Amino acid sequence: MFVLAPLLLAAATVVVASDERLIRYGPGVDDTARVSEAALDFIRTTPSIDASHPALAGVDPSFLAALASRPQKTGPGFLDLTEVTLPDLDGNTLSLETPTEPLVAFADAPYPTPNATKYPELASLFPQVSAQGLGWTIGNLTNFTTRYYRSTIARDSAVWIQGQFAASAGASNVVFIENSFNQPNVIAAIPRANTSTNNEVVIIGAHFDSLNQRNTSGVAPGADDDASGVAVILQTLQILSKAGFRGQRRIEFHAYAGEEGGLLGSTRTAANYSSAGTAVRGMVEFEMVAYQSGTSPVISLTTDTAPTLQTFVTSIIKTYVPEVTFRTTACGYGCSDHDSWVDQGYSAVCLAEAGPRDSTLNPYYHTSNDTLDKLNMTQASYFVKAALAFVVELSEHAA
Ligand SMILES: *[C@@H]1O[C@H](CO)[C@@H](O)[C@H](O)[C@H]1NC(C)=O
Ligand SMILES: *[C@@H]1O[C@H](CO)[C@@H](O)[C@H](O)[C@H]1NC(C)=O
Ligand SMILES: *[C@@H]1O[C@H](CO)[C@@H](O)[C@H](O)[C@H]1NC(C)=O
Ligand SMILES: *[C@@H]1O[C@H](CO)[C@@H](O)[C@H](O)[C@H]1NC(C)=O
Ligand SMILES: *[C@@H]1O[C@H](CO)[C@@H](O)[C@H](O)[C@H]1NC(C)=O
Ligand SMILES: *[C@@H]1O[C@H](CO)[C@@H](O)[C@H](O)[C@H]1NC(C)=O
Ligand SMILES: *[C@@H]1O[C@H](CO)[C@@H](O)[C@H](O)[C@H]1NC(C)=O
Ligand SMILES: CC(=O)N[C@H]1CO[C@H](CO)[C@@H](O)[C@@H]1O
Ligand SMILES: [Zn+2]
């Protein structure tokens, strides 16, 4: 069983005032802070933090020092755990667990060695990867003026994704996990073939909210960040559903809300799974996958988390996606939704077009110019191959 990391967890009662948020900014026991909404709004919308700015008066200096140490702010750089402390629609509150030792002992589950001979169906699934289909999804998602999690239309894009998921997976296999703001997480599943074999879940995810960092009320197309990741998980679902694929493990496709606010939707989802005792075999986040700065495709793997899963995913890409240049990159704490899973002791990694320090990173992200015309769907299509290989290898035979 590869359930939870061997961490000593102690439940803690957490009370958060209505004008403050509970932040975790690093893996250590004491790496938490209570920060006012106003100061957090400033932090969320400021690419480079100057700790002496008046808007940051009174903010925990260790939190500010941690933010300043990030390579460059791509993701929020912290986890906002406040969502976890809020009741769900049924009035149940998730238990917020505070680690009693540093969160360095990631679930280090053993993984198999990828073997293309053992999964011959992948060779027939790969030709169905469609660059055009990815562009269609990104085009439709960028058609929402914004997908900012606090906008008045924040829910519309979730409903659109629900419709797309349901068209492939069937409506009964799609659920919302509601958040305190008007943008739920959307989750689709391909149930396992045989309910008596393995109750672990294989997850691929991406966030569907977008951010215009200069003006949160402004246009925020978020084509690369992260409609591109949503397009990858949606197409993976479409291809597997069309083929009638069923593995020994359940496969889930997670579209997260409010990532730009502090991994809000994924912290709540991961805490929900942890509270329910759900075992996760492995989780991969797809975060900005369609911008190609050179003439050839690149896949970058983040190196901050889950060493054995990193080795497995590296090997998946080298085995099944030899067309790409493979790179590794440090992402920094709180850089995307996979960190919400790591925070709950699960094995999770992130795939992207580039790391936050790389000059090849999309220069348009978090602006009104993060649009489809800047992207290359051939580059994005290699991530669908990686996603297909990842979920088939980990679900089909339950090894
Ligand atoms: C957790 O997931 C279950 C099942 O999907 C759902 O009923 C419940 O509302 C979720 N809890 C929260 C806090 O979202
Ligand atoms: C790969 O899978 C094939 C078919 O299941 C098997 O015969 C072969 O021994 C496997 N190779 C390795 C290196 O495990
Ligand atoms: C965007 O929306 C407009 C108006 O509804 C529609 O005509 C167009 O086809 C859409 N474009 C994409 C790429 O979805
Ligand atoms: C389900 O798996 C169990 C354990 O491997 C096996 O005994 C059983 O025959 C399987 N059932 C079906 C319907 O495949
Ligand atoms: C932000 O964008 C909105 C909507 O386009 C606009 O009305 C507002 O003036 C902008 N605010 C700033 C400060 O540019
Ligand atoms: C898109 O990327 C592929 C390789 O991934 C390259 O062959 C192609 O020329 C690129 N297209 C454009 C329009 O840059
Ligand atoms: C978007 O691109 C246009 C045209 O290149 C440029 O004038 C504008 O400053 C850019 N806006 C942002 C927010 O980057
Ligand atoms: C469901 C949906 O909104 N689909 C639209 C996606 O974009 C195309 C145009 O590219 C429209 O024709 C679809 O109606
Ligand atoms: Zn993102």
Side-chain angles (χ1 to χ4, degrees), residues 339-363:
D339 277 340
S340 296
W341 293 91
V342 172
D343 194 60
Q344 293 288 343
Y346 292 112
S347 286
V349 297
C350 177
L351 292 175
E353 72 217 7
R357 270 201 192 91
D358 298 340
S359 59
T360 51
L361 185 70
N362 186 339

Side-chain angles (χ1 to χ4, degrees), residues 354-378:
R357 270 201 192 91
D358 298 340
S359 59
T360 51
L361 185 70
N362 186 339
Y364 306 107
Y365 78 96
H366 290 176
T367 76
S368 56
N369 285 338
D370 181 5
T371 47
L372 180 59
D373 57 297
K374 313 288 195 313
L375 304 181
N376 184 319
M377 293 305 119
T378 306

